[in-house]
Amino acid sequence: MTSLPFNKKPARVIPGFHLTLGYTMLYVSLLVLLPLAMIFIQTMSLSWAEFSNIVTDPRAVASYKLSFGTALAAGLLNVVFGTIIAWVLVRYHFPFKRIIDGLVDLPFALPTAVAGIALTSLYAPNGWIGQFFNFKIAFTPLGIIIALTFIGLPFVVRTVQPVLQNISAEVEEASASLGATRLQTVIKIILPELLPAILTGFSLAFARALGEYGSVVFIAGNMPMKTEITPLIIMTKLEQYDYAGATSIAAVMLITSFVLLFTINLIQWLANRRFVH
């Protein structure tokens, strides 16, 4: 029996680990960390009083409430209807199913400006849909929610759909044979399996809605203190060459978004841990 040399390193499972790790860290640093760091570096050129005046301006605060409120509402709507659409696409067979399945991805490929113009023409007071309502939809927060729901729907559908495909229909039949009602099967069997995917889809749709600009700027109307979103204020300050002011508001959005997404991921981790154990 021959003994191995003491100085021989054990073989790694991943070949070239050090090289791939170094490339990954360089890639993430150049494309993610460095641009985000520049936001805070540019903001640090302001004094605390100047920073506080910019980010607590009533116009900016109103835009925070609008952006986060509409993004949250759109995310919750997508959770409900996106899950229903995913269920229908997985569990049922009907004519033109493949076409409808492909249309779900349309917001991914459609330019956001085109989506904004199309939605505005539909929901304007004289639009095809807006003319049937006694209240305004376009140029109100409701119109913004509709636009954000449109662009965030694919995130929930495509996240929940693969999980549903892995849940066998025999599981539901076994639950029914043991005396469970349809509601009990959904709550105790299906929903626990779908919850991590639903939370992931919600976080993706919510994050996309927070930073959305092109599809919202047309249907919002951009009225200060009423329908002006935070990305529009940032763009306005950039056009005025107020880079420090723009990065100050962007820093507030970045920190708040990070806290919210961290909270969502923590809830998802706790849900996974609960259902695993």
Side-chain angles (χ1 to χ4, degrees), residues 202-215:
F202 170 77
S203 62
L204 292 174
F206 177 74
R208 170 69 189 275
L210 275 181
E212 182 61 24
Y213 177 79
S215 61

Side-chain angles (χ1 to χ4, degrees), residues 86 153-164 194 196-202 204:
L153 179 64
F155 291 98
V156 177
V157 176
R158 294 311 183 207
T159 306
V160 174
Q161 192 173 5
V163 180
L164 274 175
L194 293 182
I198 290 174
L199 289 174
T200 300
F202 170 77
L204 292 174

